[in-house]
Amino acid sequence: MLRLRLPTVDSPEICLSLWLMRTVFYNARVKSWDVIVVGGGVIGLSLSIALHKRGARVLVVERGEPGREASHAAAGMLADCMLETPAALRALASASARMYPEFVLELQDESGTNVDLRHDGTLLFLPPEQVAEQPEFCASNPLPAPLAEFEPALPGADIPAVYLKERSVDPRALVAAALKSAKHRGVDISSGTTVTEVLLADGRVSGIRTDRTQYSAPCVVNCAGAWAGNFPAHGFPTRPVKGQMLAVACDRHAVLRHVIRTPEVYLVPRSDGRILIGSTLEEAGYDKRTDPDTIHRLHQVAIRMVPELAHARILEAWAGLRPGTPDNLPILGATSTPGYFVATGHFRDGILLTPITAHTMAQLITGGHPGYDISLFSPARFS
């Protein structure tokens, strides 16, 4: 019998969870874990790594292939901008953006995978009315040089632009690195199995049941994204919000240097020469089919911004399902069921919020202070 040495705290919910987490049992037939993470996207995998660092034995259960849902479909803009981030989320988003270099460096070292973290910044094009409403913001984020010099691929835009010192990352490479790192650390991964129920014993978490089997653990974390509300014990109000995108490549390797965001489209360059073009916001249920007319429209808007893209080859088009919530804010924290936690509903900011989510939730689950105020994102607000 192995006992985890976890700190004690006064919070009743955390104390109950910690009491349940202290013992790992083995016998010839059954293996148990300290924590089961439901959902193998980049947030679930990163949280599993953070928990493992704190001494927990972790199982990740993923309904499909790890990292192939919202994480795979994302553009990877680390958009830390006050005009685009809900006020309640700004402090957490900024903290997460600051964590990214160290977060990425550690994943790259452990996995040997380059996640293409770029530091070139963003050109944000604003409609005139927004410029008039936000003169201080525009004045504090000027272009470092005339637009034609700073980003020669743009022939000149008829709306004002500001420069933001943001980063971008390749989410597919990021999730591949997180998966390799988790496996390297000894995190167990079960893929291709759908969770149907969180199991309870005496009102506390005792594990999960899937469509194939059941697993035992005194702590479960729901990181199931748009599917987070699809099984009991709690009906979290998450929903899928569809986004369609495409990727192109030009003969000339470096067409764009900076991320471009306009009211109609965004363009995200990768270091290998690809350019991602997106995206839509659609209430379409769990339908991930692409619409040729929508993809064509996005492509044409991008060409108007960057004429050289007219000669680009379309590499692929896809759609992903962001996990939305009624107030478009994440659901983070302990539930009313001892041992049951949730980290989902990140909507358009899942990639950006990954480091801070992994840190705060791992701290909370193992009895430490989250380090940041996440009370606004408590699941209790939907009770």
mmCIF file of all heavy atoms in Angstrom, residues 225-243:
data_model
loop_
_atom_site.group_PDB
_atom_site.id
_atom_site.type_symbol
_atom_site.label_atom_id
_atom_site.label_comp_id
_atom_site.label_asym_id
_atom_site.label_seq_id
_atom_site.Cartn_x
_atom_site.Cartn_y
_atom_site.Cartn_z
ATOM 1 N N GLY A 225 -14.686 18.566 -22.553
ATOM 2 C CA GLY A 225 -14.998 19.562 -23.569
ATOM 3 C C GLY A 225 -16.477 19.657 -23.869
ATOM 4 O O GLY A 225 -17.313 19.721 -22.967
ATOM 5 N N ALA A 226 -16.828 19.632 -25.154
ATOM 6 C CA ALA A 226 -18.222 19.775 -25.559
ATOM 7 C C ALA A 226 -19.081 18.604 -25.115
ATOM 8 O O ALA A 226 -20.313 18.677 -25.149
ATOM 9 C CB ALA A 226 -18.299 19.934 -27.075
ATOM 10 N N TRP A 227 -18.440 17.501 -24.681
ATOM 11 C CA TRP A 227 -19.162 16.314 -24.218
ATOM 12 C C TRP A 227 -19.252 16.259 -22.687
ATOM 13 O O TRP A 227 -19.733 15.267 -22.137
ATOM 14 C CB TRP A 227 -18.466 15.058 -24.727
ATOM 15 C CG TRP A 227 -18.606 14.862 -26.211
ATOM 16 C CD1 TRP A 227 -19.540 14.108 -26.853
ATOM 17 C CD2 TRP A 227 -17.792 15.440 -27.238
ATOM 18 N NE1 TRP A 227 -19.361 14.171 -28.217
ATOM 19 C CE2 TRP A 227 -18.294 14.986 -28.485
ATOM 20 C CE3 TRP A 227 -16.696 16.290 -27.231
ATOM 21 C CZ2 TRP A 227 -17.729 15.359 -29.703
ATOM 22 C CZ3 TRP A 227 -16.135 16.674 -28.445
ATOM 23 C CH2 TRP A 227 -16.655 16.212 -29.661
ATOM 24 N N ALA A 228 -18.832 17.310 -22.001
ATOM 25 C CA ALA A 228 -18.726 17.265 -20.536
ATOM 26 C C ALA A 228 -20.061 17.074 -19.849
ATOM 27 O O ALA A 228 -20.119 16.558 -18.731
ATOM 28 C CB ALA A 228 -18.051 18.535 -20.018
ATOM 29 N N GLY A 229 -21.147 17.489 -20.476
ATOM 30 C CA GLY A 229 -22.456 17.378 -19.846
ATOM 31 C C GLY A 229 -23.240 16.156 -20.256
ATOM 32 O O GLY A 229 -24.432 16.046 -19.930
ATOM 33 N N ASN A 230 -22.593 15.221 -20.944
ATOM 34 C CA ASN A 230 -23.321 14.091 -21.537
ATOM 35 C C ASN A 230 -23.415 12.862 -20.654
ATOM 36 O O ASN A 230 -23.879 11.825 -21.106
ATOM 37 C CB ASN A 230 -22.679 13.709 -22.874
ATOM 38 C CG ASN A 230 -22.945 14.737 -23.965
ATOM 39 O OD1 ASN A 230 -23.507 15.783 -23.698
ATOM 40 N ND2 ASN A 230 -22.539 14.431 -25.168
ATOM 41 N N PHE A 231 -22.926 12.948 -19.405
ATOM 42 C CA PHE A 231 -23.039 11.794 -18.513
ATOM 43 C C PHE A 231 -23.189 12.297 -17.085
ATOM 44 O O PHE A 231 -22.710 13.383 -16.740
ATOM 45 C CB PHE A 231 -21.806 10.870 -18.648
ATOM 46 C CG PHE A 231 -20.484 11.568 -18.516
ATOM 47 C CD1 PHE A 231 -19.899 11.759 -17.271
ATOM 48 C CD2 PHE A 231 -19.821 12.043 -19.637
ATOM 49 C CE1 PHE A 231 -18.680 12.408 -17.147
ATOM 50 C CE2 PHE A 231 -18.602 12.684 -19.532
ATOM 51 C CZ PHE A 231 -18.032 12.870 -18.278
ATOM 52 N N PRO A 232 -23.891 11.541 -16.237
ATOM 53 C CA PRO A 232 -24.015 11.938 -14.832
ATOM 54 C C PRO A 232 -22.695 11.660 -14.114
ATOM 55 O O PRO A 232 -21.848 10.961 -14.644
ATOM 56 C CB PRO A 232 -25.149 11.016 -14.323
ATOM 57 C CG PRO A 232 -25.121 9.835 -15.248
ATOM 58 C CD PRO A 232 -24.623 10.324 -16.564
ATOM 59 N N ALA A 233 -22.399 12.305 -12.954
ATOM 60 C CA ALA A 233 -23.332 12.728 -11.962
ATOM 61 C C ALA A 233 -23.834 14.167 -12.084
ATOM 62 O O ALA A 233 -24.783 14.532 -11.415
ATOM 63 C CB ALA A 233 -22.651 12.569 -10.597
ATOM 64 N N HIS A 234 -23.239 15.025 -12.880
ATOM 65 C CA HIS A 234 -23.700 16.396 -13.004
ATOM 66 C C HIS A 234 -23.925 16.696 -14.478
ATOM 67 O O HIS A 234 -23.174 16.243 -15.342
ATOM 68 C CB HIS A 234 -22.664 17.381 -12.430
ATOM 69 C CG HIS A 234 -22.501 17.298 -10.957
ATOM 70 N ND1 HIS A 234 -23.207 18.077 -10.072
ATOM 71 C CD2 HIS A 234 -21.697 16.518 -10.191
ATOM 72 C CE1 HIS A 234 -22.855 17.780 -8.834
ATOM 73 N NE2 HIS A 234 -21.925 16.833 -8.881
ATOM 74 N N GLY A 235 -24.949 17.499 -14.761
ATOM 75 C CA GLY A 235 -25.239 17.879 -16.140
ATOM 76 C C GLY A 235 -24.676 19.247 -16.449
ATOM 77 O O GLY A 235 -25.411 20.241 -16.473
ATOM 78 N N PHE A 236 -23.387 19.332 -16.675
ATOM 79 C CA PHE A 236 -22.767 20.631 -16.964
ATOM 80 C C PHE A 236 -23.333 21.190 -18.279
ATOM 81 O O PHE A 236 -23.439 20.461 -19.270
ATOM 82 C CB PHE A 236 -21.251 20.492 -17.065
ATOM 83 C CG PHE A 236 -20.622 19.927 -15.824
ATOM 84 C CD1 PHE A 236 -20.020 18.677 -15.838
ATOM 85 C CD2 PHE A 236 -20.652 20.631 -14.633
ATOM 86 C CE1 PHE A 236 -19.457 18.144 -14.700
ATOM 87 C CE2 PHE A 236 -20.094 20.102 -13.483
ATOM 88 C CZ PHE A 236 -19.495 18.849 -13.517
ATOM 89 N N PRO A 237 -23.662 22.483 -18.320
ATOM 90 C CA PRO A 237 -24.323 23.052 -19.504
ATOM 91 C C PRO A 237 -23.338 23.431 -20.613
ATOM 92 O O PRO A 237 -23.271 24.574 -21.048
ATOM 93 C CB PRO A 237 -25.023 24.283 -18.931
ATOM 94 C CG PRO A 237 -24.122 24.733 -17.830
ATOM 95 C CD PRO A 237 -23.572 23.460 -17.218
ATOM 96 N N THR A 238 -22.556 22.459 -21.066
ATOM 97 C CA THR A 238 -21.662 22.702 -22.196
ATOM 98 C C THR A 238 -22.378 22.333 -23.489
ATOM 99 O O THR A 238 -23.262 21.471 -23.502
ATOM 100 C CB THR A 238 -20.375 21.879 -22.075
ATOM 101 O OG1 THR A 238 -20.708 20.499 -21.931
ATOM 102 C CG2 THR A 238 -19.553 22.324 -20.880
ATOM 103 N N ARG A 239 -21.958 22.988 -24.572
ATOM 104 C CA ARG A 239 -22.536 22.698 -25.876
ATOM 105 C C ARG A 239 -21.443 22.834 -26.928
ATOM 106 O O ARG A 239 -20.470 23.586 -26.740
ATOM 107 C CB ARG A 239 -23.671 23.669 -26.197
ATOM 108 C CG ARG A 239 -23.199 25.074 -26.519
ATOM 109 C CD ARG A 239 -24.323 26.073 -26.666
ATOM 110 N NE ARG A 239 -23.867 27.320 -27.268
ATOM 111 C CZ ARG A 239 -23.183 28.258 -26.614
ATOM 112 N NH1 ARG A 239 -22.866 28.097 -25.340
ATOM 113 N NH2 ARG A 239 -22.820 29.364 -27.242
ATOM 114 N N PRO A 240 -21.560 22.145 -28.052
ATOM 115 C CA PRO A 240 -20.572 22.287 -29.117
ATOM 116 C C PRO A 240 -20.834 23.538 -29.946
ATOM 117 O O PRO A 240 -21.970 23.812 -30.327
ATOM 118 C CB PRO A 240 -20.779 21.016 -29.954
ATOM 119 C CG PRO A 240 -22.210 20.650 -29.728
ATOM 120 C CD PRO A 240 -22.562 21.104 -28.336
ATOM 121 N N VAL A 241 -19.784 24.316 -30.187
ATOM 122 C CA VAL A 241 -19.864 25.485 -31.071
ATOM 123 C C VAL A 241 -18.903 25.228 -32.229
ATOM 124 O O VAL A 241 -17.688 25.212 -32.049
ATOM 125 C CB VAL A 241 -19.496 26.788 -30.335
ATOM 126 C CG1 VAL A 241 -19.647 27.977 -31.283
ATOM 127 C CG2 VAL A 241 -20.375 26.979 -29.099
ATOM 128 N N LYS A 242 -19.449 25.031 -33.395
ATOM 129 C CA LYS A 242 -18.681 24.596 -34.557
ATOM 130 C C LYS A 242 -17.853 25.735 -35.140
ATOM 131 O O LYS A 242 -18.304 26.875 -35.234
ATOM 132 C CB LYS A 242 -19.653 24.058 -35.616
ATOM 133 C CG LYS A 242 -19.022 23.531 -36.885
ATOM 134 C CD LYS A 242 -20.127 22.959 -37.771
ATOM 135 C CE LYS A 242 -19.628 22.487 -39.104
ATOM 136 N NZ LYS A 242 -20.731 21.905 -39.916
ATOM 137 N N GLY A 243 -16.638 25.405 -35.553
ATOM 138 C CA GLY A 243 -15.773 26.350 -36.246
ATOM 139 C C GLY A 243 -15.134 25.689 -37.449
ATOM 140 O O GLY A 243 -14.501 24.644 -37.320
#
